[in-house]
Amino acid sequence: MPLERRSWAEPFKIKVVEHVRITTHEQRERAIAEAGYNTFLLRSRDVYIDLLTDSGTGAMSDRQWSGMMLGDEAYAGSESFYRLEAAVRRVYGYTHVIPTHQGRGAENIISRVLIQPGDVVPGNMYFTTTRLHQEMAGARFVDVIIDEAHDSSSEHPFKGDVDLNKLERVFQENPGRVPYVSVAATVNMAGGQPISLANMRAVYELAHRYGVKVILDATRVAENAWFIQQREPGQLGRSVAELVKDLCAASDGCTMSAKKDPIANIGGFLALNDAAIAEAACNLLVVFEGLHTYGGMAGRDMEAVAIGIEESIQDDHIRARIGQVLYLGEKLRKAGVPIVLPIGGHGIFLDARAFLPHVPQEHYPAQALAAALYLDAGIRAMERGIVSAGRDAVTGEERKPKLELVRLTIPRRVYTQAHMDVTAESVCEVFEQRESIRGLRMTFEPKLLRFFQARFEPRQ
Ligand code: F0G
């Protein structure tokens, strides 16, 4: 048999297991009602397969766990920080490394350092925390992603690409008011869709022509690199490690949630090439996060992140990680379940508009679908639609995103192929019963990042 036709398996074996509880339908009915039909408010003991997020939920390796014992917990000058700094410089190539407690800590700092009230920040689709920090620093966010990204059925290979015409228009219409372009690798809200290396470089070149910086959200940059290796002309055969370096080289700095690619349970950093910006960031760091040699992480966490960074750029790791996502996605696609295509890097995104055409967007179809999926077999997913999009910062109106999605996010190295089979069966079962799913009414709405804690009740 030719090699590519043969089965593959993960490049690891399992050393430690954690038991999960299987609940009854009655228990789940009670649990989801108590959670106000918001999967964020479920207790994890009531969840069978947890696909809420790939953030901080990965299985650390034996090397990472042994690194935890080596953590240097000195308040200042921790050895663990210097190991983290060296790993970031080696793998991503930036000069200055500023540790933060997680990704949004880095987003807060860079937004406050670079943004003046009244500024405009263009980006390839928003991410919830990233945009909020930009807005809280006084900026207006403008989405400059290609139109295909908002179309769940478009099979464009790089739906994370920036539309260069849209970007240039933002520069021309707001001279002197664009501090940086916010570019994400594997765009989360678009369905885990990659940006091409050619587009990343073109964005950098265009931005620099207008004197504007580029800040990369590197949270899932290794996964993005794998898609470039697989799909981009001229890049086939290059290693994920090389491609990660190239992506980062087309930016002036990055924010990182080390809870994703680097498979740590907590942690993050801001990395920069400009010494003056790094100094300003360090100054704010001591106010919001901690000293510049720990920034909100314990020494042991910095060790786990440093080791995880190296593991995250191994080709065999990424191939298996994205291979598992593909396995689940292909099953659902073949069963006719409407999902975002192409299949993305960190999860499968159900298209709730196509799944529940009878539920209007104001009745929160994706939220209702996530609750229905939990009820069927205890699988926890996440709404990524109108609830996540929140309200316009100026008008207070609900934003109505084109994409109304439910994300089945696959944690790294945690679940088996059998878990994926069970998940696919449950989604198919819910799909068969889709006509009986009703929308929801919001009964409690938090002011900021409402999706985390909002509560709902079923509509009659
Ligand atoms: N950027 C992206 C693209 C993210 O997906 C996240 C987090 C962050 C920044 C913020 O990082 O959580 O460490 O503060 N995404 C998680 C998710 C929460 O479930 O997608 P953080």
Short mmCIF file of all heavy atoms in Angstrom, two decimals, residues 233-275:
data_model
loop_
_atom_site.label_atom_id
_atom_site.label_comp_id
_atom_site.label_asym_id
_atom_site.label_seq_id
_atom_site.Cartn_x
_atom_site.Cartn_y
_atom_site.Cartn_z
N PRO A 233 1.70 27.37 -2.59
CA PRO A 233 2.68 27.07 -3.63
C PRO A 233 4.07 27.54 -3.21
O PRO A 233 4.23 28.63 -2.68
CB PRO A 233 2.18 27.88 -4.84
CG PRO A 233 0.74 28.13 -4.57
CD PRO A 233 0.58 28.18 -3.09
N GLY A 234 5.04 26.68 -3.41
CA GLY A 234 6.42 27.05 -3.09
C GLY A 234 6.84 26.75 -1.67
O GLY A 234 8.02 26.84 -1.33
N GLN A 235 5.89 26.39 -0.80
CA GLN A 235 6.24 26.19 0.61
C GLN A 235 6.21 24.72 1.01
O GLN A 235 6.60 24.36 2.13
CB GLN A 235 5.30 26.99 1.53
CG GLN A 235 5.21 28.47 1.21
CD GLN A 235 6.57 29.16 1.29
OE1 GLN A 235 7.47 28.73 2.01
NE2 GLN A 235 6.73 30.23 0.53
N LEU A 236 5.75 23.87 0.10
CA LEU A 236 5.65 22.44 0.40
C LEU A 236 7.04 21.89 0.73
O LEU A 236 8.01 22.21 0.07
CB LEU A 236 5.08 21.70 -0.81
CG LEU A 236 4.59 20.28 -0.52
CD1 LEU A 236 3.28 20.33 0.25
CD2 LEU A 236 4.36 19.51 -1.82
N GLY A 237 7.09 21.09 1.79
CA GLY A 237 8.37 20.46 2.13
C GLY A 237 9.18 21.27 3.12
O GLY A 237 10.16 20.78 3.68
N ARG A 238 8.81 22.52 3.35
CA ARG A 238 9.53 23.29 4.37
C ARG A 238 8.97 22.91 5.73
O ARG A 238 7.82 22.55 5.88
CB ARG A 238 9.36 24.79 4.10
CG ARG A 238 9.95 25.18 2.74
CD ARG A 238 10.02 26.68 2.58
NE ARG A 238 10.87 27.28 3.60
CZ ARG A 238 10.64 28.47 4.16
NH1 ARG A 238 9.60 29.17 3.79
NH2 ARG A 238 11.45 28.94 5.07
N SER A 239 9.78 23.00 6.76
CA SER A 239 9.34 22.54 8.08
C SER A 239 8.43 23.58 8.74
O SER A 239 8.49 24.78 8.43
CB SER A 239 10.54 22.26 8.98
OG SER A 239 11.18 23.47 9.29
N VAL A 240 7.59 23.10 9.64
CA VAL A 240 6.73 24.00 10.42
C VAL A 240 7.60 25.02 11.15
O VAL A 240 7.29 26.21 11.19
CB VAL A 240 5.86 23.16 11.40
CG1 VAL A 240 5.25 24.04 12.47
CG2 VAL A 240 4.77 22.42 10.63
N ALA A 241 8.72 24.57 11.69
CA ALA A 241 9.61 25.48 12.44
C ALA A 241 10.09 26.63 11.55
O ALA A 241 10.05 27.79 11.96
CB ALA A 241 10.80 24.70 12.98
N GLU A 242 10.49 26.31 10.33
CA GLU A 242 10.97 27.37 9.42
C GLU A 242 9.84 28.34 9.09
O GLU A 242 10.04 29.56 9.03
CB GLU A 242 11.43 26.75 8.08
CG GLU A 242 12.77 26.08 8.09
CD GLU A 242 13.02 25.41 6.73
OE1 GLU A 242 12.30 24.43 6.39
OE2 GLU A 242 13.91 25.87 6.02
N LEU A 243 8.66 27.77 8.85
CA LEU A 243 7.53 28.62 8.44
C LEU A 243 7.06 29.51 9.58
O LEU A 243 6.64 30.64 9.37
CB LEU A 243 6.40 27.74 7.89
CG LEU A 243 6.75 27.08 6.54
CD1 LEU A 243 5.81 25.91 6.25
CD2 LEU A 243 6.68 28.10 5.41
N VAL A 244 7.12 28.99 10.82
CA VAL A 244 6.78 29.82 11.99
C VAL A 244 7.72 31.02 12.05
O VAL A 244 7.29 32.16 12.22
CB VAL A 244 6.87 28.98 13.29
CG1 VAL A 244 6.93 29.87 14.52
CG2 VAL A 244 5.69 28.02 13.39
N LYS A 245 8.98 30.77 11.88
CA LYS A 245 9.98 31.85 11.89
C LYS A 245 9.67 32.89 10.81
O LYS A 245 9.74 34.10 11.06
CB LYS A 245 11.36 31.26 11.59
CG LYS A 245 12.27 31.02 12.79
CD LYS A 245 13.00 32.27 13.19
CE LYS A 245 13.95 32.16 14.35
NZ LYS A 245 14.95 31.14 14.25
N ASP A 246 9.31 32.40 9.61
CA ASP A 246 9.02 33.31 8.50
C ASP A 246 7.80 34.17 8.78
O ASP A 246 7.78 35.37 8.47
CB ASP A 246 8.78 32.52 7.21
CG ASP A 246 10.08 32.05 6.58
OD1 ASP A 246 11.16 32.35 7.13
OD2 ASP A 246 10.01 31.37 5.54
N LEU A 247 6.75 33.56 9.35
CA LEU A 247 5.54 34.33 9.67
C LEU A 247 5.87 35.43 10.68
O LEU A 247 5.46 36.58 10.53
CB LEU A 247 4.46 33.40 10.24
CG LEU A 247 3.66 32.58 9.22
CD1 LEU A 247 2.88 31.46 9.92
CD2 LEU A 247 2.71 33.47 8.43
N CYS A 248 6.61 35.06 11.71
CA CYS A 248 6.94 36.04 12.75
C CYS A 248 7.85 37.14 12.21
O CYS A 248 7.75 38.30 12.62
CB CYS A 248 7.61 35.35 13.95
SG CYS A 248 6.52 34.21 14.81
N ALA A 249 8.71 36.77 11.25
CA ALA A 249 9.63 37.76 10.68
C ALA A 249 8.87 38.84 9.92
O ALA A 249 9.39 39.95 9.72
CB ALA A 249 10.63 37.07 9.77
N ALA A 250 7.64 38.56 9.51
CA ALA A 250 6.82 39.55 8.81
C ALA A 250 5.95 40.32 9.81
O ALA A 250 4.79 40.65 9.52
CB ALA A 250 5.98 38.87 7.74
N SER A 251 6.47 40.55 10.99
CA SER A 251 5.74 41.34 11.99
C SER A 251 6.74 42.05 12.88
O SER A 251 7.94 41.72 12.88
CB SER A 251 4.84 40.42 12.84
OG SER A 251 5.64 39.66 13.73
N ASP A 252 6.23 43.03 13.64
CA ASP A 252 7.11 43.78 14.55
C ASP A 252 7.05 43.25 15.96
O ASP A 252 7.79 43.71 16.83
CB ASP A 252 6.69 45.26 14.54
CG ASP A 252 6.82 45.86 13.17
OD1 ASP A 252 7.95 46.17 12.76
OD2 ASP A 252 5.79 45.98 12.46
N GLY A 253 6.13 42.33 16.19
CA GLY A 253 6.01 41.78 17.53
C GLY A 253 4.82 40.86 17.56
O GLY A 253 4.07 40.74 16.57
N CYS A 254 4.64 40.16 18.68
CA CYS A 254 3.48 39.28 18.76
C CYS A 254 2.93 39.23 20.18
O CYS A 254 3.63 39.53 21.15
CB CYS A 254 3.83 37.85 18.31
SG CYS A 254 4.62 36.85 19.57
N THR A 255 1.64 38.88 20.25
CA THR A 255 1.06 38.48 21.53
C THR A 255 0.85 36.98 21.44
O THR A 255 0.60 36.44 20.36
CB THR A 255 -0.30 39.17 21.78
OG1 THR A 255 -1.16 38.92 20.66
CG2 THR A 255 -0.14 40.68 21.96
N MET A 256 0.97 36.30 22.56
CA MET A 256 0.86 34.84 22.55
C MET A 256 0.07 34.37 23.76
O MET A 256 0.37 34.76 24.89
CB MET A 256 2.26 34.23 22.57
CG MET A 256 2.29 32.73 22.81
SD MET A 256 1.49 31.77 21.50
CE MET A 256 2.90 31.26 20.54
N SER A 257 -0.92 33.53 23.50
CA SER A 257 -1.55 32.77 24.57
C SER A 257 -0.86 31.41 24.58
O SER A 257 -1.09 30.60 23.68
CB SER A 257 -3.04 32.61 24.32
OG SER A 257 -3.57 31.66 25.23
N ALA A 258 -0.02 31.17 25.56
CA ALA A 258 0.75 29.91 25.61
C ALA A 258 -0.13 28.73 25.97
O ALA A 258 0.33 27.59 26.07
CB ALA A 258 1.90 30.05 26.60
N LYS A 259 -1.45 28.99 26.15
CA LYS A 259 -2.40 27.93 26.48
C LYS A 259 -2.84 27.15 25.25
O LYS A 259 -3.55 26.17 25.36
CB LYS A 259 -3.62 28.55 27.16
CG LYS A 259 -3.26 29.37 28.39
CD LYS A 259 -4.42 30.21 28.89
CE LYS A 259 -5.44 29.35 29.61
NZ LYS A 259 -6.46 30.19 30.30
N LYS A 260 -2.44 27.63 24.06
CA LYS A 260 -2.86 26.93 22.83
C LYS A 260 -1.66 26.20 22.23
O LYS A 260 -1.26 25.16 22.76
CB LYS A 260 -3.47 27.93 21.84
CG LYS A 260 -4.91 28.31 22.20
CD LYS A 260 -4.98 29.42 23.17
CE LYS A 260 -6.32 30.08 23.24
NZ LYS A 260 -6.35 31.13 24.28
N ASP A 261 -1.07 26.74 21.13
CA ASP A 261 0.09 26.09 20.50
C ASP A 261 1.07 25.49 21.52
O ASP A 261 1.43 24.32 21.40
CB ASP A 261 0.86 27.11 19.65
CG ASP A 261 0.54 27.02 18.17
OD1 ASP A 261 -0.29 26.18 17.78
OD2 ASP A 261 1.13 27.79 17.39
N PRO A 262 1.54 26.24 22.50
CA PRO A 262 2.58 25.70 23.39
C PRO A 262 2.09 24.74 24.48
O PRO A 262 2.89 24.34 25.34
CB PRO A 262 3.22 26.95 24.02
CG PRO A 262 2.83 28.09 23.14
CD PRO A 262 1.46 27.72 22.64
N ILE A 263 0.82 24.38 24.45
CA ILE A 263 0.29 23.27 25.29
C ILE A 263 0.61 23.44 26.77
O ILE A 263 0.96 22.46 27.46
CB ILE A 263 0.78 21.88 24.79
CG1 ILE A 263 1.02 21.91 23.29
CG2 ILE A 263 -0.23 20.79 25.13
CD1 ILE A 263 1.86 20.75 22.77
N ALA A 264 0.51 24.66 27.27
CA ALA A 264 0.65 24.88 28.71
C ALA A 264 -0.75 25.13 29.29
O ALA A 264 -1.66 25.50 28.55
CB ALA A 264 1.55 26.07 28.99
N ASN A 265 -0.93 24.91 30.57
CA ASN A 265 -2.24 25.13 31.17
C ASN A 265 -2.50 26.61 31.43
O ASN A 265 -3.65 27.04 31.53
CB ASN A 265 -2.40 24.33 32.46
CG ASN A 265 -2.31 22.83 32.20
OD1 ASN A 265 -1.57 22.12 32.88
ND2 ASN A 265 -3.03 22.34 31.20
N ILE A 266 -1.43 27.39 31.54
CA ILE A 266 -1.58 28.83 31.73
C ILE A 266 -0.31 29.50 31.22
O ILE A 266 0.74 28.87 31.18
CB ILE A 266 -1.83 29.18 33.23
CG1 ILE A 266 -2.29 30.64 33.43
CG2 ILE A 266 -0.60 28.88 34.09
CD1 ILE A 266 -3.71 30.91 33.03
N GLY A 267 -0.41 30.77 30.83
CA GLY A 267 0.79 31.50 30.44
C GLY A 267 0.64 32.23 29.13
O GLY A 267 -0.30 32.00 28.36
N GLY A 268 1.57 33.14 28.88
CA GLY A 268 1.57 33.90 27.64
C GLY A 268 2.74 34.84 27.62
O GLY A 268 3.53 34.89 28.58
N PHE A 269 2.85 35.58 26.54
CA PHE A 269 3.90 36.60 26.49
C PHE A 269 3.62 37.59 25.37
O PHE A 269 2.80 37.34 24.48
CB PHE A 269 5.30 35.98 26.32
CG PHE A 269 5.45 35.11 25.10
CD1 PHE A 269 5.72 35.65 23.85
CD2 PHE A 269 5.31 33.72 25.21
CE1 PHE A 269 5.85 34.82 22.73
CE2 PHE A 269 5.44 32.90 24.09
CZ PHE A 269 5.71 33.45 22.85
N LEU A 270 4.34 38.71 25.48
CA LEU A 270 4.38 39.72 24.44
C LEU A 270 5.83 39.70 23.97
O LEU A 270 6.74 39.64 24.81
CB LEU A 270 4.02 41.07 25.07
CG LEU A 270 4.19 42.34 24.27
CD1 LEU A 270 3.26 42.34 23.06
CD2 LEU A 270 3.86 43.55 25.17
N ALA A 271 6.06 39.68 22.67
CA ALA A 271 7.44 39.70 22.18
C ALA A 271 7.57 40.82 21.16
O ALA A 271 6.65 41.05 20.36
CB ALA A 271 7.79 38.36 21.55
N LEU A 272 8.68 41.53 21.19
CA LEU A 272 8.85 42.73 20.38
C LEU A 272 10.28 42.84 19.88
O LEU A 272 11.20 42.31 20.51
CB LEU A 272 8.53 43.98 21.22
CG LEU A 272 7.07 44.11 21.70
CD1 LEU A 272 6.99 45.00 22.92
CD2 LEU A 272 6.19 44.63 20.57
N ASN A 273 10.44 43.58 18.79
CA ASN A 273 11.79 43.84 18.30
C ASN A 273 12.28 45.23 18.68
O ASN A 273 13.47 45.48 18.71
CB ASN A 273 11.86 43.66 16.78
CG ASN A 273 11.74 42.19 16.40
OD1 ASN A 273 12.17 41.30 17.16
ND2 ASN A 273 11.15 41.92 15.25
N ASP A 274 11.35 46.15 18.96
CA ASP A 274 11.71 47.54 19.22
C ASP A 274 11.98 47.75 20.71
O ASP A 274 11.11 47.50 21.55
CB ASP A 274 10.55 48.44 18.74
CG ASP A 274 10.87 49.91 18.87
OD1 ASP A 274 10.96 50.41 20.02
OD2 ASP A 274 11.03 50.56 17.83
N ALA A 275 13.19 48.22 21.02
CA ALA A 275 13.60 48.34 22.43
C ALA A 275 12.76 49.37 23.19
O ALA A 275 12.41 49.15 24.36
CB ALA A 275 15.09 48.72 22.50
#
